[in-house]
Every structure is written in C-alpha cells, then in structure tokens.
Amino acid sequence: MSSESSKKRKPKVIRSDGAPAEGKRTRSDTEQEGKCYSEEAEVDLRDPGRDYELYKYTCQELQRLMAEIQDLKSRGGKDAQAVEIEDRRIQSCVHFMTLKKLNRLAHIRLKKGRDQTHEAKQKVDAYHLQLQNLLYEVMHLQKEITKCLEFKSKHEEIDLVSLEEFYKEAPPDISKAEVTMGDPHQQTLARLDWELEQRKRLAEKYRECLSNKEKILKEIEVKKEYLSSLQPRLNSIMQASLPVQEYLFMPFDQAHKQYETARHLPPPLYVLFVQATAYGQACDKMLSVAIEGSVDEAKALFKPPEDSQDDESDSDAEEEQTTVRAWGPLSTRCCPPWKQKRERESRKVKEREGSWDHGSQSTEAQKRRRPTLGVQLDDKRKEMLKRHPLSVLLDLKCKDDSVLHLTFYYLMNLNIMTVKAKVTTATELITPISAGDLLSPDSVLSCLYPGDHGKKTPNPANQYQFDKVGILTLRDYVLDLGHPYLWVQKLGGLHFPKEQPQHTVITDHSLSASHMETTMKLLKTRVQSRLALHKQFASLEHGIVPVTSDCHYLFPAKVVSRLVKWVTIAHEDYTELHFTKDIVEAGLAGDTNLYYMALVERGTAKLQAAVVLNPGYSSIPPIFQLCLNWKGEKTNNNDDNIRAMESEVNVCFKELCGPRPGHQLLTNQLQRLCVLLDVYLETESHDDSVEGPKEFPQEKMCLRLFRGPSRMKPFKYNHPQGFFSHR
Amino acid sequence: MEVFQALQRLHMTIFSQSVSPCGKFLAAGNNYGQIAIFSLSAALSSEAKEESKKPMVTFQAHDGPVYSMVSTDRHLLSAGDGEVKAWLWAEILKKGCKELWRRQPPYRTSLEVPEINALLLVPKENLLILAGGDCQLHAMDLETGTFMWALRGHTDYIHCLALRERSPEVLSGGEDGAVRLWDLRTAKEVQTIEVYKHEECSRPHNGRWIGCLATDSDWMVCGGGPALTLWHLRSSTPTTIFPMRAPQKHVTFYQDLILSAGQGRCVNQWQLSGELKAQVPGSSPGLLSLSLNQQPAAPECKVLTAAGNSCRVDVFTNLGYRAFSLSF
C-alpha cells in the first residue's frame, strides 16, 4: 500500500513542480472537459516517461506478488496463508487497474500522435504545392525577361554617325546634351532624329543634282549640234589651205597621203611601215620612212578576177595568180591567203571529183602545154618570185651624216620579205681597193644577228613551192630580189617556226615592235663600224696604222715594226695558206667572212698575218694567223711565242677595243701586232757562236726575258711605266 | 660568243697533268688557270662515247696558267703564278671544288710574282719541293705547311726537278743551262753540270736552257736548248747524245726506254744507246708534258698521256700509237 501511495503522490509532485502556470490552466481545462472525457485531458498532464517507469515498477510488483502467492500456496499454510494470499490478490488487482489505466493512456497518446503527424503532413503538402506554383511563376517570368532582352529594334541596323560627331554637328534642339548625356536611350533617340534629318537633306541634294545633270546634258546636245555643223566648214578651210601648205613645206597632208597609200601595202610591209614610223617618231628622229611603187598596180591586184575559172584553172601558176588577187587591201581582206589557197585547192579537188568533163578538159590542157615546158617553168618561177608593187623605204641617218637606205620588198607568193641595202656617205669616200666588199649591198648587212646570212629562205614552206618550179635554192636570186634576212621577217611581224614546215604565219605587230629597236641599233652600229673600217682601210693600204689618240696608252711610244701591206684575199686563197689550217678546221672561216692579208716588217723579219673579218665586226673580233719569216719560217706549229702572239691579239682582244663601241679594234690589233713583233725580235736570245752585233738590240724594258715551261716572252705592255712583263 | 670560245680553245695550252691516286682519273691544267678532270676509266671502257672524252668537271683553279701539278695520296697540288694550292681528290670527284689550302713561298722580289714551274714530292720526308721564277728551290713540309729551307744557286729561273730516291738527292735544271744536284739531308749543293759547256751537246742557236730532266740512280737524262743527253752522274760525263733537233720539254725513263717529247707532234722513244726506237705522232703541234699512269690500283687504266699546245690530251694505250684524245 505504501508503495502505491508514494507512487500516486509522485506524479502529483512533479506536476506541481513542472509548470505551475500550465498546471493551473490544464487543471482548469481538465475541470471543464473532465465532465465528458477526463482521461484525454489527463494524458496531457502526465509525463510518458514516468508512466513508463510506473509501468515497469507495476510489472515488477506484480511479478513479486505472483511469486509470493506462489510461494505461499506451495507452502500450504491455511488461514494465515489465505489472508496473506487475499491481501496480495487485492494488491495485484490494484496493480492491474494501474496497468489498465496505463494501457488506455498509451492508446490515447498513440491516437493523438497519429493526429498530429497527419496534421503536420497536410501542412507540408500545402507548402509544397505553393512552392511548385512559385517556381513555375519564376520560370515564366525569366522567359519573359529573356524575350525582352532579345528583342531587336530596327534602328540598330542603321549606321549612325559617331557620338562625338553627333554632339559636334547636331543642333542643340535635337542633341539636347543635358538630357541625353546621361541617358543612352534618349541619346539613341536623339541620334536617330539627327540621322533622319540628315537623310532628308541628302535626298534633297540628290534631286537637285539630277536636275542639274539633265540641264548639262541638254547643253552638251546643243554644243554637239554646233560642232557637227562645223565639220563641213573646216573641210572647206582645209581645202583652201592646201596651196599654202605646199608653199611652206609643211608635210601634214603628205603624211596623210602616205597613210592612205599604206592601206594598200600587204600586211607584213604594213606592219613594218607602221612600226618603223612609230619608232621613228618616238625614239629616233633620224629614221625616215617612205613608200615606193605604184599604188594603181597594187590596187589592180585586188580587182576580182574576171576569167579565173577558164581552162587554165588547173595550172599552178594560175593558182598562184588568183591567190595573189585574193590579197585584198587591209580593209577588205578577211582571210589570209594561205587559207584562201587551201580552200581553193580543196574546192578544186571537189570539182575534179564531181565533174568528169572538167577533168578531161584539164588533161587536154596539159597535153597542149607539154612542148613549151621550159618556157612555162620559167614563167612559173618568175610568177613565184614576184614582188608586191609597193615597197617600204627606210632611211637610217647616222651621226656622221651617212645614210643607210633600206628597201623592203614583199614576195607575195613566197610570203617572205627581202631587203636591199645601200650606204651613202656625206663626203665622197676614196674607196680603197681592199674595202671593196665592205659597203657592198650584198654583204653590208650579212650576219647582223649571228648566223643570219640572208641566203636561204626563212619560210620552211617555200622549199615545197620551189620543188614545184625547179628552184634549187633562193641563193641564186638573192642579188636580184634582196636578202631575206631573218630580222627582216621579224620586223614585218612574220614568224616562221624552225622545225615545222607548215603555214603558221601570222603577221604580228608585237613581234615587229619587239625587234624594231634592237634591229635599228644594230643597223646603225653596223653602218658605223663598216664606215669606220672603210676609213681605217684607206690608211692601212698606205702602210699607216691609224691609232687614235684615245688608244695611245695601249702601245709604247716607239714602235719600229711597220705595216707594209694590207690587201684583201679570196676565201679560197685563205684556206690554202699553210698556217691557217687551225682556223679552217675550227670552222671559223666561213665564206661569209671577209679575208685580208697584212704584212708587218722590221729589218729582215717579215711577219705575215692572215685576217678573218667576221661580218659581225666589231662585236666579233677579227682573227689573226701569223707566219714569221726570219731565220726560217715560224708559225704557231713550231714556235710557242708565235702562238702566244696570236692569242695576244685574238683572245685578249677585249683590252684592244678602245673606247666604245670599239670600232678601233682592227687598227689596235694591227698596232699591237707591230709591238709584239718588236718584243719578239728584241728578246730573241743571241746566238753566242755568231760574230757581230745583234740585228735587233733590246730597246724595250723587260722584267724577265723568259718565263714558264714554254719560255714565253714578255708580251704584256704596262702603260704608265712603259715596261713589258709576262701576262 | 661562240667565236670567242672557239678562239679560246684554239689558243689553249695544257701545261700539266696528274693522275689521281686511284689511277682512274686524270687532271689537266691549262693556260687559263682551269683544271679539267677526265675519267680515264670511262674513256677507256668499251662503251665509251664522245662525252666520256670530255672533262667530268672543269674548275677555275688559278688566275694564271697552271704550270705544274702533282698528286699525293689524297690531294691534288697545283701550282701557277706564285702559289701552290691543294684540292681534295675526293671532293673534286664529287664536283665540289673548293681549295683546301694555298701557300706562297717566301719571295724576295716584288715587281713580278715569280711563277712555280715544277713541283716535286719527296715521299720519305713528306716534303714538297717547289721551284720556278725566283731561281730557288723551296721545301715545304706537307705536315705543317711551313717552308723549311730554300736552296740558292741557279742564276736564272728553274724549269724542272727530279728526285734521286736512293741518295736522297734532288736535281734541278734551269734557264741558266746548269743541272744542279742538292743533298736533301744537308740542304747543300753537291754537284753542278753545266750542260751547255760540253761541246757534244751544246746548241747555241737554241739557247742554254734545260727544259727537262729525269734520273734513274746513276743516270740522268736532260734536254732543252742543248741536245737531249744521257749523263753518267758519278763521273759527270755525257754518255749518249740523242739525235733530236727540236728542243725537248719532257723526258722520262720507262723500263729500258727513254720517252721524250717537245717541239713537234711526236712522242719519241729512245734506246739507251741513242737509237730512235719509235716516233708516235700525237694531235698537238707541240708537247709539254707526258704522264705515265702506273698506279697499281687501276691496271686497266695503264696509259701514257701527252699534252701540250692544244686543248687535247692524247692517250696512248700502248706505246705504239695514239688511241684517242681527251679534249677540254
């Protein structure tokens, strides 16, 4: 019992201790609710932990009591035992009551707990829903914001003037600096306003300009009308001025006429004429160009053939004839002659195949002609080599007033050009015998370019034409026709492929232009060098070596050896000389060269020099071969020093060229030869066994007499000091 | 400029020749200072074409003429006006021709640079002896490239040198008409033979000069202005005088023959007794140098080559006739 009371008291004490205010209120609550269900209120007041202690304690008590009852019963005592058992039973019942109560309380608590949990859960659900809504809203708003941000305004595409310019130029009522400076939005608006304003102004200006233009156009129209009305009046003035022009030697009209004539030139000559005239006007005032020949004949060439399809149509000569006629003046020509010829030929073949009548007619014609075959061939040849009636005349004047006259012809059927040359000098030249060939029209232009002898036709197609009429080579006709040099073809714009015997010939202005300048210069140098040679030869024939003052430094003051003879010799004679074999074998003695023989003497010593003069002098040096007659015959074969002398004049010719362009070369070489002979003779070792003085006492100053394995003599002259040394 | 090139070829003189250490190539130097290398093996092979008789490579070695050339185991030495230059054979054959070194002997004259007419190798001492325009023999140590001593005695320039291997002594012949013997160990003159003073061989109209020289133990053969003569050195007396009128520019012993060449087209072969055994004509009007290719490395290229006053080097496969010519 005591234990139960203490047990019941304890919660009370706690209750009063725990929270007095609460306790009071709960007590009043329980008092109100106690009427309906007191235990529910009690639950709130009690502490579950203490209930659990109480439950444990009650269970222990119950166990103890049960064990005591058991004990008592087993002991078997009757009364006392029964009382005690009863007592204990009552105590147990009390404990059971307590358990029951605790059980109820536990149930109520469980229920309450569940309710609370449920309530809390509901609340959480509600909050969650709210959150979801809010998130959705946020997302929507963000989308809206990005949409706004991405919005493009049209004004961004407009190119605006820069900010500084805007503030500088725009009037203040548009720029409103105080407002717009801080506010970019306003600023942009203001700038757009300004842009609009400016554009309006420009549009205005454009309209003005257009109207202006129209006005000017109208003015031009008026002036044009005026000018066109002027032309006939000017013409009449021109006509009236002709006598005056003639009277005053003003060749305006003549030039006009020449151009008129030039229209009738065949294309190559026309190209040459135009290019030469152009070159003469632009670069060389000393070049004059003229056209010679009968214009009427040239015109007649182009008249349509009236009876070309007669019985002679098969003959080749006639064929050529019609080809010639097909050459129209430049303005009317539409197709080059070789093409026309080909067309004609193909047409002819067709005709032959087509109609037998025609074929028999032609064989008849052939039969009829056979007896006069020789005459016919001759005619054909003449026809083939026929020149165009017009020719172009170029006069190239050199500094010393000598003139090179070049006449260019065009061979119509061979489609090549030829040239004839003539040199006239200002003063009458005393023609030395040896200079005969120098200015002859046949050789003066030979080898202007290396290897261009002008004896063969440059057009590979000609060979086939020649075969037909029995011409072996053009060489035999060159004197009459002029030389078909390659450079002449180039000046006429004719280009012939070297290894290709086909007609691929086109007259080409650029080809002519590219060669004009070099060729003209070469022509001039050629004439000048020939004239220089001409002059030199005149004095050489008199045994004087004309050394000019600007070449004196090349030679010592005293030269004893003398030139005594200078004659021209024939090519055959040259090749037959015994000491020129090397040159002939080396292929340096072609028949286009000029050959001379010089004789230099000193005392009993005679030095023969055979000279090869290339037409390309002075860019190609003359070649000397020597033979010394002194104490036996000495040539390069048996004397190393003769060989050295040859190489001194032939190989070391560059130092002998003198002032540009080196026309003095030949003279200097001859003078050098005299010096070399002096050195050779004076340094010849004296034979001790022979009595008497030396024939040639040594006068030249030499460092050493001999040098090297081949015992060379000191041939090199050192100018200011005047001594001789070895090369 | 075709004409100019033709003229240059026409006036070319080949002064010197040298066979490569392998024996298959021949170097030739001309008066324009060019050295051309010919391949003997290609030119001698059975399928030789025209091109194989042209130089494999030509290079400008000197400013002046190339008067003399010799070959060591690895180098080609060439000498001309005042200088000796060395070229590596290996590089020449690879066509990269850069000079290895150049040396100039100490000259005393200043006005004109003396030429070097002769080079002589003394293999035992590794010496190169140079002689020429300044009348001295200069000895150069090939190891260090320094000039060790100079031998003076000649009164005019020196044409040629020869070596007596056994002694060792060097012979030199010069424009002054004397042949001098020099002892290499003491660097002193041992003996002088003034050839022109011996009446048997003197030819005053040709001058005194000694243009060529060869020696074989006690025997020496020399020629030039005086007639070609065989000398007994110990007694310094002429034993045989060879009947050849033209001055000789090169002479050499070959087996029991003496080969000589000079003015005139022929290579002359002499018996020691003075009999002319054969005269084999070449293509040049005058010959200046003979070269016997006896390199054991290339027995198939064993030929005699002769060059002189032309741009051609004649090749004699046996001593009897000229097989063909190599040409610059």
Side-chain angles (χ1 to χ4, degrees):
Chain A
M1 264 332 278
S2 64
S3 67
E4 201 202 4
S5 64
S6 68
K7 193 177 54 182
K8 278 201 174 172
R9 231 181 291 141
K10 262 182 196 169
K12 271 174 193 168
V13 173
I14 293 164
R15 209 187 299 158
S16 56
D17 282 350
E22 253 179 274
K24 266 180 203 165
R25 201 185 58 193
T26 41
R27 200 182 298 161
S28 64
D29 285 348
T30 39
E31 273 167 5
Q32 282 169 3
E33 289 170 13
K35 287 160 201 169
C36 43
Y37 200 74
S38 62
E39 275 197 334
E40 279 186 13
E42 210 187 335
V43 167
D44 292 335
L45 298 177
R46 293 179 72 109
D47 181 36
R50 280 190 193 282
D51 281 353
Y52 176 60
E53 290 295 319
L54 185 61
Y55 166 71
K56 261 176 55 188
Y57 170 74
T58 316
C59 286
Q60 263 167 16
E61 276 307 298
L62 261 175
Q63 269 172 347
R64 190 181 53 83
L65 286 174
M66 291 299 178
E68 273 174 9
I69 290 169
Q70 173 96 32
D71 200 35
L72 284 174
K73 274 190 178 169
S74 59
R75 234 183 280 157
K78 292 258 174 128
D79 286 341
Q81 277 176 351
V83 175
E84 267 185 51
I85 291 169
E86 194 63 22
D87 190 29
R88 297 233 170 30
R89 197 179 284 158
I90 291 165
Q91 278 179 25
S92 314
C93 281
V94 174
H95 283 304
F96 270 120
M97 291 305 287
T98 319
L99 278 179
K100 270 196 173 169
K101 166 108 175 149
L102 284 173
N103 184 33
R104 266 195 319 273
L105 282 176
H107 272 290
I108 292 168
R109 268 200 197 104
L110 179 68
K111 194 184 167 241
K112 225 177 196 173
R114 272 201 188 129
D115 285 350
Q116 271 174 357
T117 315
H118 186 70
E119 208 174 313
K121 200 185 162 211
Q122 288 239 303
K123 227 186 226 169
V124 168
D125 279 349
Y127 281 138
H128 187 70
L129 193 66
Q130 208 176 347
L131 178 67
Q132 291 283 335
N133 284 339
L134 286 172
L135 279 176
Y136 182 75
E137 209 170 328
V138 165
M139 214 165 66
H140 178 71
L141 286 174
Q142 273 172 344
K143 258 187 207 162
E144 287 295 305
I145 289 170
T146 45
K147 242 186 230 167
C148 290
L149 284 177
E150 279 167 9
F151 176 73
K152 278 239 167 199
S153 169
K154 221 171 193 175
H155 80 272
E156 285 168 34
E157 289 165 11
I158 301 172
D159 253 347
L160 292 176
V161 292
S162 73
L163 258 185
E164 299 102 72
E165 228 176 296
F166 167 65
Y167 279 115
K168 220 195 284 170
E169 287 174 4
D173 59 312
I174 289 179
S175 68
K176 287 182 207 140
E178 66 286 350
V179 186
T180 53
M181 273 303 203
D183 187 350
H185 180 67
Q186 286 297 329
Q187 195 179 48
T188 314
L189 280 180
R191 284 170 74 188
L192 284 172
D193 278 347
W194 175 232
E195 184 71 27
L196 179 66
E197 183 70 25
Q198 274 180 318
R199 288 194 181 196
K200 272 182 189 162
R201 279 185 214 171
L202 287 174
E204 190 66 27
K205 219 183 220 171
Y206 173 66
R207 225 170 297 136
E208 266 173 42
C209 287
L210 270 185
S211 63
N212 233 7
K213 184 185 150 197
E214 223 143 273
K215 221 188 278 171
I216 291 169
L217 275 178
K218 258 179 211 162
E219 269 173 47
I220 290 173
E221 198 78 6
V222 173
K223 280 180 183 167
K224 259 188 188 164
E225 258 169 48
Y226 173 70
L227 282 178
S228 60
S229 72
L230 215 57
Q231 178 68 39
R233 274 157 70 191
L234 281 176
N235 277 348
S236 62
I237 292 174
M238 282 273 285
Q239 209 65 39
S241 75
L242 269 182
V244 185
Q245 271 187 35
E246 261 165 48
Y247 184 69
L248 294 175
F249 298 111
M250 288 156 85
F252 301 119
D253 213 53
Q254 200 185 330
H256 248 293
K257 256 186 204 151
Q258 211 170 47
Y259 289 137
E260 187 58 35
T261 322
R263 285 183 51 229
H264 299 285
L265 286 174
L269 284 180
Y270 183 77
V271 168
L272 172 73
F273 174 76
V274 170
Q275 291 299 332
T277 318
Y279 177 76
Q281 277 169 4
C283 312
D284 194 348
K285 295 279 176 267
M286 311 294 260
L287 178 73
S288 69
V289 188
I291 299 174
E292 271 187 350
S294 143
V295 181
D296 293 336
E297 257 180 69
K299 275 183 190 162
L301 278 179
F302 309 121
K303 271 188 195 144
E306 283 150 27
D307 51 354
S308 61
Q309 290 298 321
D310 58 5
D311 58 337
E312 282 177 356
S313 66
D314 60 320
S315 113
D316 280 319
E318 177 57 25
E319 182 65 33
E320 301 297 344
Q321 178 72 46
T322 46
T323 312
V324 172
R325 283 179 191 155
W327 276 101
L330 269 188
S331 49
T332 58
R333 198 173 63 81
C334 56
C335 177
W338 50 92
K339 270 192 194 162
Q340 291 185 351
K341 185 180 166 189
R342 237 179 245 164
E343 278 165 22
R344 289 187 60 80
E345 269 168 1
S346 61
R347 190 155 28 123
K348 211 166 77 181
V349 169
K350 270 179 209 157
E351 278 170 9
R352 276 182 188 164
E353 284 167 358
S355 79
W356 286 103
D357 291 358
H358 228 283
S360 58
Q361 215 171 358
S362 60
T363 46
E364 255 171 46
Q366 274 172 353
K367 267 179 209 159
R368 211 189 312 144
R369 294 221 157 189
R370 208 154 280 151
T372 55
L373 202 65
V375 182
Q376 189 195 350
L377 259 183
D378 222 36
D379 286 348
K380 275 183 186 174
R381 268 180 222 157
K382 261 184 203 159
E383 188 60 45
M384 180 162 290
L385 298 174
K386 201 171 166 191
R387 295 200 289 230
H388 192 273
L390 291 180
S391 58
V392 173
L393 190 74
L394 281 190
D395 283 355
L396 202 60
K397 210 182 269 183
C398 299
K399 273 174 208 150
D400 52 353
D401 276 346
S402 51
V403 185
L404 175 66
H405 306 276
L406 296 172
T407 318
F408 292 90
Y409 300 101
Y410 177 65
L411 304 185
M412 294 178 292
N413 297 325
L414 298 179
N415 192 27
I416 53 173
M417 287 170 75
T418 59
V419 69
K420 276 188 182 179
K422 207 184 136 202
V423 180
T424 55
T425 47
T427 52
E428 197 55 43
L429 282 179
I430 317 137
T431 309
I433 310 151
S434 58
D437 280 347
L438 278 182
L439 295 175
S440 80
D442 191 32
S443 74
V444 68
L445 296 180
S446 167
C447 294
L448 195 63
Y449 289 94
D452 192 3
H453 302 297
K455 300 258 161 98
K456 274 189 290 184
T457 167
N459 187 351
N462 289 163
Q463 204 50 54
Y464 301 111
Q465 291 171 292
F466 289 162
D467 288 347
K468 273 192 209 163
V469 295
I471 296 177
L472 281 179
T473 156
L474 196 63
R475 187 184 278 249
D476 312 329
Y477 301 88
V478 152
L479 257 185
D480 196 32
L481 293 173
H483 291 263
Y485 296 113
L486 276 175
W487 58 266
V488 178
Q489 320 305 322
K490 281 179 181 159
L491 285 189
L494 294 173
H495 177 72
F496 298 102
K498 285 241 161 108
E499 300 296 329
Q500 215 180 325
Q502 290 164 2
H503 289 289
T504 51
V505 197
I506 300 153
T507 56
D508 182 2
H509 275 269
S510 61
L511 178 70
S512 169
S514 64
H515 277 81
M516 184 61 77
E517 188 166 357
T518 36
T519 307
M520 287 301 150
K521 280 186 181 150
L522 279 175
L523 282 171
K524 261 190 190 173
T525 5
R526 169 59 62 88
V527 171
Q528 273 169 349
S529 76
R530 282 295 162 98
L531 286 173
L533 276 180
H534 204 271
K535 239 182 260 172
Q536 290 170 34
F537 281 11
S539 46
L540 288 179
E541 276 187 359
H542 293 91
I544 302 157
V545 183
V547 179
T548 54
S549 58
D550 42 11
C551 295
H552 274 315
Y553 71 95
L554 290 169
F555 313 106
K558 190 180 172 195
V559 181
V560 189
S561 303
R562 287 282 161 244
L563 177 75
V564 292
K565 207 167 98 186
W566 175 262
V567 288
T568 172
I569 55 172
H571 175 224
E572 293 75 29
D573 296 342
Y574 180 86
T575 50
E576 278 165 19
L577 287 172
H578 64 281
F579 54 94
T580 56
K581 224 179 276 165
D582 292 341
I583 297 293
V584 177
E585 276 168 14
L588 293 173
D591 59 352
T592 51
N593 298 324
L594 302 169
Y595 296 91
Y596 300 93
M597 178 66 88
L599 184 66
V600 180
E601 273 186 13
R602 178 173 175 181
T604 54
K606 287 184 171 50
L607 180 70
Q608 279 180 292
V611 185
V612 183
L613 189 74
N614 194 292
Y617 178 87
S618 57
S619 57
I620 299 170
I623 304 168
F624 285 72
Q625 288 286 292
L626 305 178
C627 175
L628 177 66
N629 280 301
W630 185 59
K631 294 186 184 172
E633 197 177 70
K634 291 169 181 176
T635 64
N636 62 15
N637 257 333
N638 56 21
D639 193 322
D640 289 346
N641 278 304
I642 296 291
R643 195 160 181 264
M645 284 162 73
E646 283 174 4
S647 99
E648 283 286 333
V649 283
N650 290 343
V651 181
C652 306
F653 68 92
K654 275 183 189 140
E655 54 201 56
L656 298 172
C657 282
R660 287 183 65 79
H663 294 322
Q664 292 299 314
L665 178 58
L666 181 72
T667 304
N668 288 346
Q669 279 179 317
L670 280 167
Q671 179 73 354
R672 178 99 181 105
L673 207 58
C674 295
V675 176
L676 293 174
L677 183 63
D678 278 356
V679 173
Y680 181 92
L681 296 174
E682 288 177 21
T683 55
E684 192 57 29
S685 55
H686 189 57
D687 189 345
D688 295 332
S689 60
V690 180
E691 295 286 316
K694 282 172 127 183
E695 187 186 352
F696 306 109
Q698 189 181 336
E699 289 166 354
K700 306 267 186 296
M701 213 171 20
C702 304
L703 287 181
R704 279 169 61 184
L705 288 185
F706 297 101
R707 188 176 205 261
S710 39
R711 305 182 73 240
M712 286 298 145
K713 298 184 179 207
F715 287 125
K716 186 179 165 192
Y717 175 67
N718 296 278
H719 162 56
Q721 300 89 357
F723 66 90
F724 285 82
S725 65
H726 291 86
R727 189 172 290 279
Chain B
M1 278 290 87
E2 248 169 75
V3 177
F4 183 61
Q5 276 166 4
L7 281 175
Q8 254 197 344
R9 279 169 57 86
L10 210 59
H11 289 99
M12 192 181 290
T13 304
I14 300 176
F15 282 112
S16 51
Q17 309 174 56
S18 179
V19 177
S20 71
C22 65
K24 290 180 181 164
F25 302 96
L26 179 75
N30 69 8
N31 56 332
Y32 304 116
Q34 295 162 327
I35 293 179
I37 309 295
F38 298 96
S39 168
L40 285 176
S41 53
L44 286 166
S45 72
S46 51
E47 58 259 23
K49 294 183 206 96
E50 270 313 297
E51 296 96 78
S52 45
K53 287 164 191 172
K54 287 273 168 195
M56 303 160 51
V57 53
T58 307
F59 57 97
Q60 191 70 37
H62 293 266
D63 293 334
V66 185
Y67 285 131
S68 181
M69 287 197 291
V70 287
S71 290
T72 66
D73 304 343
R74 294 171 57 225
H75 299 139
L76 173 69
L77 306 175
S78 68
D81 279 345
E83 273 184 329
V84 58
K85 293 187 184 183
W87 317 80
L88 263 182
W89 267 109
E91 272 187 41
I92 290 173
L93 299 179
K94 272 184 254 154
K95 308 194 175 175
C97 303
K98 244 184 97 197
E99 66 179 68
L100 199 63
W101 47 258
R102 61 164 86 182
R103 296 278 184 280
Q104 187 169 28
Y107 292 129
R108 284 184 298 181
T109 52
S110 57
L111 247 176
E112 200 187 33
V113 183
E115 80 280 12
I116 297 170
N117 284 328
L119 294 175
L120 182 69
L121 280 172
V122 186
K124 269 187 203 157
E125 332 243 323
N126 203 17
L127 274 182
L128 177 70
I129 297 178
L130 304 88
D134 67 342
C135 319
Q136 304 177 28
L137 281 79
H138 295 276
M140 191 184 104
D141 185 5
L142 279 176
E143 193 77 33
T144 59
T146 51
F147 287 93
M148 298 166 60
W149 36 258
L151 300 174
R152 292 183 196 102
H154 277 286
T155 56
D156 207 335
Y157 78 89
I158 300 169
H159 273 287
C160 50
L161 294 171
L163 180 69
R164 274 182 96 189
E165 300 218 17
R166 228 184 300 158
S167 316
E169 283 173 350
V170 172
L171 285 83
S172 64
E175 183 74 14
D176 58 357
V179 174
R180 290 167 203 269
L181 266 84
W182 312 84
D183 189 330
L184 281 182
R185 286 163 298 195
T186 57
K188 289 241 169 64
E189 188 174 340
V190 191
Q191 194 182 351
T192 308
I193 303 172
E194 288 179 302
V195 180
Y196 64 95
K197 289 194 176 161
H198 293 260
E199 235 171 76
E200 307 94 302
C201 50
S202 100
R203 291 188 296 196
H205 60 277
N206 278 341
R208 304 168 170 181
W209 53 280
I210 298 296
C212 55
L213 190 60
T215 178
D216 190 9
S217 64
D218 272 347
W219 300 94
M220 184 262 288
V221 62
C222 68
L228 192 67
T229 319
L230 182 68
W231 293 75
H232 187 244
L233 278 180
R234 222 176 303 157
S235 58
S236 53
T237 45
T239 48
T240 316
I241 291 151
F242 299 97
M244 172 52 69
R245 289 186 58 196
Q248 297 298 291
K249 298 283 176 69
H250 194 106
V251 66
T252 181
F253 285 97
Y254 175 68
Q255 291 166 357
D256 55 349
L257 290 176
I258 289 170
L259 307 180
S260 79
Q263 204 60 260
R265 292 186 173 270
C266 300
V267 177
N268 308 305
Q269 302 172 20
W270 306 94
Q271 310 276 17
L272 289 182
S273 59
E275 251 174 73
L276 182 62
K277 190 193 169 209
Q279 274 193 313
V280 187
S283 65
S284 311
L287 293 174
L288 286 172
S289 71
L290 298 174
S291 161
L292 266 164
N293 181 8
Q294 286 172 311
Q295 291 293 341
E300 75 278 9
C301 298
K302 187 180 171 188
V303 291
L304 172 73
T305 50
N309 289 341
S310 76
C311 58
R312 295 176 292 275
V313 181
D314 295 337
V315 178
F316 301 85
T317 43
N318 63 36
L319 291 181
Y321 73 103
R322 177 176 73 94
F324 56 88
S325 296
L326 305 167
S327 172
F328 254 83

